[in-house]
């Protein structure tokens, strides 16, 4: 009997600790790892980062140049359950139960445009509100060009990878709703 009570006591303590840990990771801070080359030369494949989730929790608007993590599934409404499912431990548990891997929808990108901004892509550069951006962080001159002028909608941001010639970003999926901006890089 004493062994069972002791085991239940330990089990409760472990559940409380796990719930606290998941809560911190979902709403405050989250370690993450870069997957791919789209943020080179600033960030590298498999590099570890610490992300602040406070902006997402309190619905803050990021600033120009911020490196953020986003949910690229812009065609669907994001809900609180998504924040928990994106937690690394829960993600792997769900993967084990479902037996399949969902496509990578969490991206690390740089904020280039905010609501109301107009963006153009010409002559190998990004122009925001008619002015060419000075971007010392990009890997190389961009080969992408478009005659389209994009206006970032209200409650959205426009994000791009620093490796412009090897990045799938807002140029291809559109502007990212603010509730899909999941966090901001603190340090690497």
């Amino acid at each position: 009997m004493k062994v069972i009570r002791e085991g239940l006591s330990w089990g409760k303590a472990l559940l409380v600790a796990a719930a606290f840990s998941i809560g911190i990771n979902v709403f405050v801070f989250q370690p993450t790892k870069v997957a791919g080359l789209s943020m080179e030369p600033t960030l590298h494949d498999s590099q570890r980062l610490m992300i602040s989730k406070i902006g997402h929790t309190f619905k803050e608007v990021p600033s120009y140049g911020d490196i953020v993590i986003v949910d690229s599934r812009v065609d669907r409404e994001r809900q609180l359950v998504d924040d928990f499912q994106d937690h690394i431990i829960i993600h792997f548990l769900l993967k084990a139960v479902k037996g399949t891997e969902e496509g990578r929808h969490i991206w690390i990108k740089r904020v280039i445009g905010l609501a109301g901004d107009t963006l153009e892509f010409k002559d190998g550069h990004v122009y925001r509100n008619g002015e060419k951006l000075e971007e010392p962080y990009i890997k190389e001159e961009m080969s992408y060009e478009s005659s389209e002028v994009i206006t970032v909608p209200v409650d959205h941001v426009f994000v791009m990878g620093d490796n412009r010639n090897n990045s799938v970003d807002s140029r291809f999926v559109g502007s990212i709703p603010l509730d899909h901006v999941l966090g901001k890089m603190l340090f690497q």
Side-chain angles (χ1 to χ4, degrees):
M1 220 34 156
K2 183 179 179 186
V3 173
I4 292 172
R5 274 187 266 138
E6 186 73 23
L8 288 173
S9 177
W10 276 99
K12 287 179 191 175
L14 289 173
L15 282 174
V16 168
F20 183 73
S21 171
I22 289 170
I24 292 290
N25 276 214
V26 168
F27 298 111
V28 184
F29 299 107
Q30 176 184 333
T32 194
K33 188 164 78 169
V34 177
L37 308 174
S38 73
M39 283 300 292
E40 285 189 347
T42 309
L43 303 174
H44 304 284
D45 188 35
S46 299
Q47 183 175 352
R48 297 191 180 278
L49 312 172
M50 183 59 73
I51 302 294
S52 169
K53 304 286 285 283
I54 295 171
H56 176 65
T57 301
F58 293 106
K59 302 183 183 347
E60 295 174 359
V61 177
S63 301
Y64 295 125
D66 283 351
I67 295 176
V68 295
I69 59 170
V70 299
D71 181 340
S72 65
R73 301 172 298 178
V74 297
D75 56 341
R76 67 185 285 278
E77 185 110 3
R78 192 163 165 87
Q79 299 177 9
L80 181 59
V81 70
D82 293 319
D83 290 331
F84 285 97
Q85 288 178 346
D86 289 339
H87 183 275
I88 191 76
I89 293 170
I90 295 173
H91 175 77
F92 283 114
L93 288 173
L94 289 172
K95 178 183 171 187
V97 170
K98 291 179 181 177
T100 60
E101 176 68 45
E102 192 177 306
R104 288 291 305 158
H105 62 272
I106 303 297
W107 293 349
I108 299 174
K109 304 293 177 188
R110 187 180 298 273
V111 175
I112 300 300
L114 301 176
D117 286 339
T118 58
L119 300 169
E120 297 175 83
F121 310 98
K122 57 187 180 184
D123 307 323
H125 299 283
V126 178
Y127 290 79
R128 182 174 56 221
N129 302 323
E131 294 188 28
K132 182 175 114 178
L133 296 184
E134 295 301 323
E135 299 180 292
Y137 44 78
I138 65 172
K139 184 171 184 170
E140 60 196 3
E141 193 172 280
M142 179 175 60
S143 62
Y144 177 84
E145 295 209 11
S146 174
S147 59
E148 180 182 13
V149 176
I150 296 171
T151 300
V152 181
V154 172
D155 294 329
H156 285 70
V157 294
F158 195 93
V159 298
M160 295 176 75
D162 290 355
N163 185 356
R164 300 286 162 80
N165 296 323
N166 191 14
S167 177
V168 177
D169 48 42
S170 286
R171 291 173 289 175
F172 306 101
V173 300
S175 295
I176 307 291
L178 286 177
D179 66 346
H180 284 53
V181 177
L182 308 179
K184 178 172 123 176
M185 184 179 80
L186 287 176
F187 54 85
Q188 45 190 358

